[in-house]
Amino acid sequence: REACRHPRSSPRSKLLGTAMAAAHGGTMRSSDGLLATIQVLASDLDGTLLNPDHKPGPGTFEAIAAFQAAGGIFAVCTGRDKGSARGVLKGLDIDKLPGVYMNGTIVQGLGGAPLQSVTLHDKLVKEVVEWGRSNRGDASILFVDGDEHYVMDRSDEYALFMHKHLLDPDPLQVEGGWSGTSPKIPGHVNLMRVICSPEKMDIVKPQVQRLVAGQASYAQSLPTTIDIMAPNTNKATGLNVLLKSMGLSEAQTAAVGDSENDLEMLQSVKVACAMGNAMQTTKAVAHFILPKNTDEVPGVVSLLRQLTNALSARSAKPAAKDIQVEDIQVAKKIRVACFGGGGWGTPVARMVAQSLLRDQKFDQELLLWVNDEIIEGAMLTEIINTTHENPKYMPGLRLPRNLRAVSDAAEAARGADLLIFVERQDVMRRILVEIASCVKSTATAVIMSKDMVEITADKLKFGCQVVSEALKIPAAVLMGGTLAADVAAGHFAEATLGCHSTETASILLDIFNKPNFSVTALPSMLAVELFAVLKSIVALASGISDGVGFGFNTKAAIARLGAVEISKFAVHFYPAHTIAPALHEACGWTDLIVSSFGNSRNRRWAEAFAKDPSRSDQAIAVDSVDGRVPTGIRTIKDIAAFIKSQRVEMEFPFISKVYRIISRKDPPMSLTQMAVPRVRISDALKVTILGSGNWGTAIARIVATNVAKLPDFQKTVNMWVHEEEIDGRKLTDIINLDHENVKYLKGCALPDNLVAVPDAVEAVKGAHVLIFVLPHQFLHRLLDTISNSVAPGTMAVSLIKGHLVVTDGGKRLKTGTQVIAERLRLSKCAVLNGANVADDIASGNFAEATLGCSEERSASLLASLFNSESFSVRTTQDVFGVELFGGLNNVVALAAGFSDGLGLAENTKAAVLRRGLLEMSLLIRIIFPSSMPETAHESCGIADLLTTCYSGRNWRCAKAFAKDPSRSWEDIEAELLKGQKLQGPSCCMDVQTLIDSRNLREDFPLLTAIHGAVTKRISPQDVFTTNGFQA
């Protein structure tokens, strides 16, 4: 069963709704009373009301009759014509039932009253006929005139279509067929249906799109069909005609569907429901996910029963308390205007327009100011208003009927209560001048552009300040991890609203908060905008890293260093603002991850730049993005100039280095030459490495190289190796003679002073420093072996991730460092964790790690062992924080792997990572209250999270599991890791025991859902649906 979730739910709250379970008569629970306001249910047929055999599920007609008896209105909204619908709904009197047919072309009211019949222009019909002649091998065409059907070419595809959909069994073939020179064209054509095999749809659909552009609407209703209808015709517009005829509105309507063809309808009503068998894009816009149409109690039946219960309960209340939605009168409607019709402005306007239709407190019309231009002989505003599509900046994205494009900014602003700005800085300056004299004094501006920073008299002004001063009205900001294409496609994304006024914030949340677009509010506009703007600098650095070819370790380290420095920038220059919380919201980590690891324009441009810095900024933009130089270029130059004016360049080495590279003063390869700290070196000691796998060999290489240069350490480093034979030779002999670990780190030369020892007791003899770097599954056996051979006072450091010993039903916990110290009778054990992929480190790519050690002297000594030009080590006394992040990151990496295995969008994955970081931090504070919150910002926290979630072994195995959940983890481990061990699933079990023993499932919904998927109680997809990530 798939879970239902309401968009206003907090990710940490209980699940508000569940799948309508057949065992409970198909009921759906909702804590906010959404269904109590519903009077009308609009239902799609194929894939929704009808099962794969094109028959209603059991109990359908009875549920419809009960809903009608309770006072509800049931309406069919289908791509079928009425005759076809009559054939599959023989238990209903279709001729008297209100309905929307042929995707809004024909609308029938109560009692069967005809309300609308729209026909296509003869010119278009003729053009489609001509196209059909030329594409006989790919498609057939069906013409529908009311209940009459005409078909060009009775092909196999058409015969299959007729069989499946029970249309007119003997349609009239167009006279002359495909070969005639002047075939008879049917008159009064309501709809044309292009029919082809699913394999040919990718060829046929773009041709149909070009053919009907500017003349008609189109929608792919099935894998085999494309419906061509009159302009502005779809299920949503037809439903609006029907509702108006009954004196009702979309605010009193629920709709249910399963396909792309249902999107406008679902997005126009108050309660949108998607079938469990629906497309992912349809589920993404739904408030509730219902059971499938093949379940024992089908989704529509379950929904009808719940709506009937809600209607009955409402009518049972005393009359004085029975307040109907239509009785509520709003004295003044809130008017909204948007400014910006580009790649981001268009999906924003679409989202806003859909919300205005759903909520009665808003004026339904949305004016969208567009920087007008000529597209193929027509003005862009005209094209948008006639085709409801922006063909230049967001082709294929259908816009709601209540959106009207205008080219006069003053016209859009006049009388608006909310002005939403989604334009770049140079255009915004002109808009502000044009509308300054006509903006209402009571209006509020909402800034969604991330490039509004200005430098004036050595001071920075952010967009919220610029707009507020220019228009003399308050300004809010809305920013986050929002790649425009992903948002337009309906993939889950999240954003942060910065707004002083709680009343205004509530109104804006009503507009923007949706099932697939989660918004949280903070009181500081500047904090939200500051992180959203400065993250473009980090995205540039990440792109440079990609272009140079640095590995994931380096990129994660760069992203972390950038995040720390922009936080420092915020605190340094804006101490009075509530800065810290913003970093942990969508405007912080989510936006930074999406921009740095996703398909952002800044990252793509910088990647291309790093490959060939000799080209101009504009030339790089033409090849890598859309021809416009990304906003981050101007941002880094402005911020660097500001830092220079304040004489604090040395305080911000990251920003200064990115600026010098982008300005072509330093080469891209120099990006990492800012991060190596100085460490002190202490007394000479003998070092032993315990472990020789992929990571163990890589770290042994660094340690052996370092001790050869440091007079305070013995030159020889022992490395304990679990002996095995490779091509007839002992692995220890190969390492000692060929200086290569051919099994676990093939191709990487090892220092001569690194000695492989097969006997663990011999390896630790006389050692002063023990470095544990082996799979946790083998740790306890090793400790038993060496416990009597370790000298008192020996220092130990663990590089083992995810080792937790949970006892007493989860009430007691021992970490790996505690186990090592206890079993070896040592006073303590340090820990080293971070963004470390062994192959990248062995290749010399820059990486960093965090050393957790409670004693300063020991921390300095151990840091000197690991620190190098390409491996930067920072120290902290928070041993448990460093250690637990190392293990918990492996659990969140499983969710990241599920996301990529399911093909979810970057926005969604970034949101999951941010939520994971928050849950990990909370769990660590609960278990070890003395842990330090800032540890999350170290390499062991966010940087390691990024590395493991984009390239680690847990991510890789979880990605494979998501593609085939029937496989066992052991099978996947054996296939993909080739002898290495998978730590995420076992750590996940321990973590869940800790959570359950404290009754904290409500506080850790993501970690709990990951555990459910790992144990196969739920599917990988359910990890996202149960946490509000409507995928």
Side-chain angles (χ1 to χ4, degrees):
R1 299 279 191 240
E2 298 194 49
C4 304
R5 190 177 182 85
H6 185 258
R8 301 295 189 268
S9 333
S10 162
R12 290 181 55 187
S13 69
K14 279 187 176 180
L15 195 63
L16 296 181
T18 62
M20 302 174 199
H24 294 86
T27 59
M28 176 174 64
R29 299 186 297 275
S30 174
S31 65
D32 59 4
L34 257 185
L35 302 185
T37 64
I38 299 304
Q39 189 77 28
V40 181
L41 174 61
S43 175
D44 171 51
L45 290 185
D46 294 279
T48 302
L49 192 74
L50 305 178
N51 62 26
D53 296 323
H54 305 285
K55 295 179 180 179
T60 298
F61 295 143
E62 294 82 356
I64 292 173
F67 179 58
Q68 291 170 328
I73 298 170
F74 181 81
V76 171
C77 286
T78 179
R80 289 173 177 259
D81 63 275
K82 195 166 74 170
S84 170
R86 188 186 296 114
V88 294
L89 296 177
K90 294 177 181 177
L92 293 177
D93 189 352
I94 284 292
D95 293 316
K96 294 184 179 179
L97 196 71
V100 175
Y101 299 98
M102 290 188 282
N103 297 319
T105 298
I106 292 179
V107 182
Q108 176 177 289
L110 289 170
L115 300 176
Q116 176 171 283
S117 178
V118 183
T119 59
L120 290 163
H121 197 282
D122 290 345
K123 174 177 174 291
L124 175 62
V125 175
K126 292 177 182 178
E127 290 175 355
V128 172
V129 168
E130 292 301 321
W131 175 85
R133 281 207 198 94
S134 304
N135 292 273
R136 179 177 183 178
D138 294 332
S140 300
I141 304 174
L142 174 74
F143 300 86
V144 182
D145 178 2
D147 281 354
E148 298 293 329
H149 308 115
Y150 304 82
V151 64
M152 295 181 67
D153 184 24
R154 192 181 292 274
S155 62
D156 291 340
E157 289 90 353
Y158 177 71
L160 176 63
F161 175 84
M162 298 295 288
H163 172 72
K164 280 188 172 183
H165 299 280
L166 303 176
L167 292 173
D168 188 338
D170 190 24
L172 301 176
Q173 186 159 338
V174 174
E175 187 177 328
W178 297 102
S179 58
T181 56
S182 56
K184 179 182 177 181
I185 304 298
H188 306 289
V189 175
N190 297 115
L191 175 142
M192 293 182 287
R193 181 163 281 151
V194 178
I195 309 154
C196 68
S197 64
E199 293 76 20
K200 299 238 178 125
M201 184 56 74
D202 288 342
I203 299 171
V204 170
K205 189 173 181 179
Q207 295 182 40
V208 173
Q209 181 181 356
R210 290 192 294 270
L211 185 66
V212 305
Q215 301 185 76
S217 299
Y218 73 95
Q220 182 179 347
S221 53
L222 292 167
T224 56
T225 64
I226 304 171
D227 292 345
I228 302 173
M229 305 148 291
N232 307 326
T233 304
N234 55 52
K235 290 183 180 181
T237 59
L239 180 58
N240 180 257
V241 171
L242 174 60
L243 293 172
K244 283 185 177 180
S245 74
M246 299 186 294
L248 300 171
S249 74
E250 284 87 348
Q252 298 157 267
T253 306
V256 56
D258 73 303
S259 72
E260 174 188 297
N261 201 30
D262 300 314
L263 289 177
E264 284 96 344
M265 176 178 71
L266 295 179
Q267 291 166 332
S268 69
V269 299
K270 184 168 186 178
V271 176
C273 301
M275 299 295 292
N277 50 281
M279 297 171 58
Q280 296 302 329
T281 51
T282 308
K283 290 180 180 179
V285 302
H287 296 88
F288 299 108
I289 310 298
L290 310 183
K292 298 177 181 179
N293 58 356
T294 55
D295 284 353
E296 183 179 350
V297 178
V300 177
V301 174
S302 301
L303 178 59
L304 281 164
R305 290 177 180 174
Q306 182 65 20
L307 289 171
T308 301
N309 292 338
L311 280 173
S312 300
R314 192 171 71 188
S315 61
K317 293 181 180 179
K321 296 181 180 180
D322 190 12
I323 302 175
Q324 303 293 327
V325 173
E326 59 265 32
D327 294 331
I328 301 175
Q329 299 297 321
V330 180
K332 181 180 177 299
K333 302 270 188 186
I334 300 171
R335 287 197 58 200
V336 184
C338 285
F339 297 82
W344 179 219
T346 301
V348 167
R350 178 180 187 244
M351 191 177 356
V352 172
Q354 290 164 352
S355 295
L356 302 191
L357 286 173
R358 290 180 176 180
D359 198 322
Q360 289 187 328
K361 66 174 169 282
F362 295 106
D363 188 320
Q364 287 196 350
E365 183 180 56
L366 174 69
L367 292 185
L368 169 64
W369 177 84
V370 174
N371 196 9
D372 221 351
E373 53 188 304
I374 298 176
I375 308 293
E376 295 183 357
M379 300 306 295
L380 181 57
T381 50
E382 180 184 348
I383 296 172
I384 292 174
N385 291 333
T386 55
T387 67
H388 288 267
E389 182 181 342
N390 187 333
K392 178 168 183 180
Y393 295 105
M394 198 57 69
L397 182 70
R398 288 173 285 178
L399 303 176
R401 57 181 169 75
N402 61 320
L403 183 153
R404 181 164 65 90
V406 298
S407 58
D408 184 348
E411 178 185 355
R414 196 171 290 113
D417 300 290
L418 294 173
L419 299 93
I420 300 171
F421 295 100
V422 199
E423 267 294 358
R424 60 183 190 270
Q425 187 191 58
D426 55 336
V427 179
M428 275 297 299
R429 290 195 186 101
R430 175 162 57 89
I431 293 174
L432 294 177
V433 172
E434 292 178 7
I435 70 174
S437 62
C438 59
V439 172
K440 292 171 61 174
S441 60
T442 56
T444 297
V446 183
I447 316 303
M448 297 184 68
S449 303
K450 299 178 182 179
D451 69 333
M452 291 287 293
V453 181
E454 292 184 356
I455 297 183
T456 307
D458 296 334
K459 291 184 179 180
L460 283 179
K461 278 188 181 180
F462 285 86
C464 57
Q465 299 167 314
V466 172
V467 174
S468 185
E469 290 180 10
L471 301 182
K472 298 180 174 54
I473 58 173
V477 297
L478 183 73
M479 296 177 183
T482 50
L483 292 179
D486 287 345
V487 173
H491 298 304
F492 181 84
E494 59 180 4
T496 309
L497 172 68
C499 185
H500 273 319
S501 166
T502 55
E503 182 180 357
T504 302
S506 177
I507 293 171
L508 292 173
L509 289 175
D510 285 340
I511 291 176
F512 288 105
N513 222 343
K514 296 176 181 291
N516 59 327
F517 196 78
S518 176
V519 182
T520 55
L522 292 177
S524 174
M525 296 88 65
L526 191 61
V528 171
E529 186 174 3
L530 190 149
F531 279 109
V533 169
L534 295 187
K535 68 94 187 46
S536 63
I537 299 174
V538 185
L540 291 174
S542 297
I544 293 170
S545 175
D546 291 334
V548 169
F550 291 148
F552 275 105
N553 291 338
T554 306
K555 186 172 177 179
I558 287 168
R560 187 200 70 83
L561 288 167
V564 169
E565 190 154 301
I566 62 177
S567 297
K568 179 182 176 182
F569 180 96
V571 172
H572 184 93
F573 291 109
Y574 301 95
H577 293 265
T578 311
I579 297 296
L583 178 61
H584 298 282
E585 293 295 336
C587 61
W589 283 124
T590 305
D591 198 4
L592 186 144
I593 293 169
V594 168
S595 301
S596 300
F597 288 80
N599 198 33
S600 72
R601 297 176 71 252
N602 286 298
R603 191 205 62 77
R604 282 155 46 208
W605 184 94
E607 181 179 9
F609 162 83
K611 293 176 179 178
D612 184 5
S614 65
R615 295 188 297 165
S616 69
D617 291 355
Q618 184 60 47
I620 295 171
V622 169
D623 290 343
S624 61
V625 285
D626 57 6
R628 289 189 295 113
V629 177
T631 59
I633 307 304
R634 190 176 55 78
T635 298
I636 181 62
K637 293 177 179 179
D638 286 347
I639 297 299
F642 174 71
I643 289 174
K644 184 175 182 180
S645 72
Q646 304 299 306
R647 299 181 180 179
V648 289
E649 295 108 311
M650 296 299 293
E651 296 292 321
F652 299 100
F654 181 93
I655 294 174
S656 299
K657 172 57 72 173
V658 175
Y659 167 71
R660 289 187 62 83
I661 292 174
I662 293 297
S663 300
R664 298 168 175 82
K665 297 177 181 178
D666 288 348
M669 281 296 295
S670 70
L671 180 62
T672 60
Q673 295 174 9
M674 58 185 169
V676 180
R678 297 184 177 90
V679 292
R680 299 189 307 275
I681 296 179
S682 189
D683 302 328
L685 299 167
K686 179 180 179 180
V687 181
T688 292
I689 311 287
L690 293 163
S692 58
N694 185 239
W695 178 217
T697 306
I699 205 69
R701 180 174 181 266
I702 291 176
V703 171
T705 300
N706 281 347
V707 300
K709 302 174 184 176
L710 300 173
D712 300 286
F713 289 94
Q714 294 185 25
K715 304 306 178 188
T716 300
V717 174
N718 285 348
M719 178 173 70
W720 172 64
V721 176
H722 179 71
E723 191 69 279
E724 52 188 308
E725 286 197 357
I726 308 295
D727 296 331
R729 298 177 64 192
K730 291 181 179 180
L731 182 57
T732 52
D733 289 343
I734 295 173
I735 293 173
N736 291 331
L737 296 175
D738 300 345
H739 303 294
E740 180 184 357
N741 187 336
V742 294
K743 179 165 185 180
Y744 295 109
L745 201 62
K746 189 175 179 62
C748 180
L750 302 177
D752 294 350
N753 62 325
L754 180 64
V755 177
V757 180
D759 186 327
V761 172
E762 183 67 24
V764 302
K765 188 178 297 182
H768 301 95
V769 180
L770 300 178
I771 300 173
F772 290 85
V773 55
L774 70 162
H776 67 77
Q777 294 93 329
F778 305 134
L779 176 63
H780 291 266
R781 187 171 62 189
L782 173 65
L783 293 175
D784 288 340
T785 302
I786 66 173
S787 60
N788 294 324
S789 303
V790 176
T794 298
M795 286 184 287
V797 57
S798 171
L799 277 70
I800 301 170
K801 287 186 177 182
H803 185 47
L804 303 175
V805 179
V806 179
T807 58
D808 195 15
K811 296 179 181 178
R812 299 183 63 189
L813 167 70
K814 285 184 181 178
T815 66
T817 56
Q818 290 174 316
V819 170
I820 292 170
E822 180 181 293
R823 298 284 292 278
L824 299 183
R825 297 175 294 280
L826 304 176
S827 60
K828 56 186 64 65
C829 176
V831 62
L832 184 81
N833 272 325
N836 312 135
V837 173
D839 290 338
D840 286 347
I841 290 173
S843 299
N845 291 332
F846 178 79
E848 58 178 3
T850 309
L851 176 68
C853 185
S854 56
E855 291 184 354
E856 183 177 356
R857 180 179 178 277
S858 296
S860 177
L861 174 68
L862 293 173
S864 69
L865 272 177
F866 299 109
N867 201 68
S868 71
E869 289 187 0
S870 60
F871 192 66
S872 175
V873 178
R874 288 166 54 92
T875 61
T876 175
Q877 293 186 333
D878 186 9
V879 176
F880 294 129
V882 174
E883 186 168 15
L884 285 177
F885 269 118
L888 293 175
N889 280 334
N890 289 334
V891 179
V892 179
L894 297 175
F898 296 157
S899 176
D900 288 335
L902 293 168
L904 305 186
E906 287 293 340
N907 288 344
T908 305
K909 183 176 177 180
V912 170
L913 267 57
R914 184 186 72 85
R915 300 268 185 93
L917 183 65
L918 294 179
E919 288 194 18
M920 288 190 294
S921 300
L922 177 62
L923 183 61
I924 291 171
R925 288 200 303 274
I926 290 173
I927 297 174
F928 294 106
S930 61
S931 64
M932 304 173 185
E934 55 268 25
T935 303
H937 301 163
E938 294 294 336
S939 179
C940 63
I942 183 62
D944 188 24
L945 178 68
L946 293 172
T947 296
T948 55
C949 290
Y950 280 90
S951 66
R953 65 182 68 167
N954 293 286
W955 164 81
R956 193 155 35 110
C957 291
K959 184 177 178 180
F961 178 80
K963 293 179 178 178
D964 184 4
S966 65
R967 298 180 65 186
S968 71
W969 289 102
E970 293 77 13
D971 176 48
I972 294 173
E973 177 187 78
E975 177 188 337
L976 297 183
L977 300 188
K978 310 298 184 186
Q980 298 179 37
K981 289 298 180 181
L982 182 64
Q983 298 165 330
S986 61
C987 184
C988 180
M989 305 298 180
D990 293 333
V991 169
Q992 195 60 39
T993 301
L994 294 171
I995 291 172
D996 288 344
S997 69
R998 294 163 172 78
N999 296 317
L1000 294 174
R1001 285 197 174 206
E1002 291 183 23
D1003 295 298
F1004 301 98
L1006 179 59
L1007 294 178
T1008 298
I1010 295 170
H1011 175 263
V1014 167
T1015 56
K1016 300 189 177 183
R1017 288 189 301 102
I1018 64 174
S1019 69
Q1021 177 70 59
D1022 289 337
V1023 172
F1024 305 96
T1025 56
T1026 58
N1027 276 276
F1029 303 107
Q1030 298 281 351

